[in-house]
Amino acid sequence: MKILIVEDEASIAEVVSAYAKREGYETVCAQDGLSALEIFFHDDIDLVILDLMLPKLNGEEVCRRIREKSSVPVIMLTAKSSESDVVAGLDSGANDYVSKPFSPRVLMARVRAQLRPRETRDNIASGVCADGRIEIDPERVEIRKDGVPVPVTKSEFLIFSTLVSRPIRTWSREEIIRSALGDDYDGFDRTIDTYIKNLRKKLAEPGHENGWIKTIYGFGYRFDDEK
Ligand code: CA
């Protein structure tokens, strides 16, 4: 597995790279946003560790451009750590968020969590829903609408397939976190709303403005298969 480390501070990039190599990953480093995209789209990258403040193109923009084409996990690494920065990072499509100063061992645990085989999750639905229009493919971590892949992140995929796995059940935010993202997830409840917002943006169409996800006010969400 190959990790792209995007970081303009050479000393940090070196430490991260050394830890990743010790875990058995290959690494490739980029020092600015543009060369990060150049490498990402010409190399076979399994995960991206992405600094937010970068020369030429900032991390959020890099993440957004990666997300237009790929659902490879992105972990943001940044000195910014206010709630709105976390939300902005996740909005741009990041899967996880580690703030500086950080422990390289914790960062590696986050990397492992993102790359962990999907089979360990037991709540993932597979098959078709929404009158056969939406297909969930755990093998490829892919959601297809009318046969066309929808570019979702792994977390978005896990959340959507969790909702679909029990179509008539309403899930609280906490249940979604526990079932879809696992106990090691340490974001806050409201982060789920951001994921849902992103999913809706990607799945919505006239007649299904909510992207097949229904909000149950005061409680949570459920898969909306009503015609
Ligand atoms: Ca930086």
Side-chain angles (χ1 to χ4, degrees), residues 7-8 51 53:
E7 171 62 73
D8 55 324
D51 183 29
M53 310 233 251

Side-chain angles (χ1 to χ4, degrees), residues 17-31:
S17 179
Y19 270 83
K21 281 179 179 157
R22 208 186 315 168
E23 300 256 339
Y25 300 115
E26 270 183 81
T27 63
V28 45
C29 298
Q31 273 140 29

Side-chain angles (χ1 to χ4, degrees), residues 26-56:
E26 270 183 81
T27 63
V28 45
C29 298
Q31 273 140 29
D32 65 75
L34 285 181
S35 49
L37 289 173
E38 181 72 19
I39 292 168
F40 184 84
F41 289 115
H42 288 94
D43 208 338
D44 190 12
I45 302 294
D46 296 290
L47 181 141
V48 182
I49 295 173
L50 181 61
D51 183 29
L52 199 52
M53 310 233 251
L54 289 166
K56 293 187 186 170

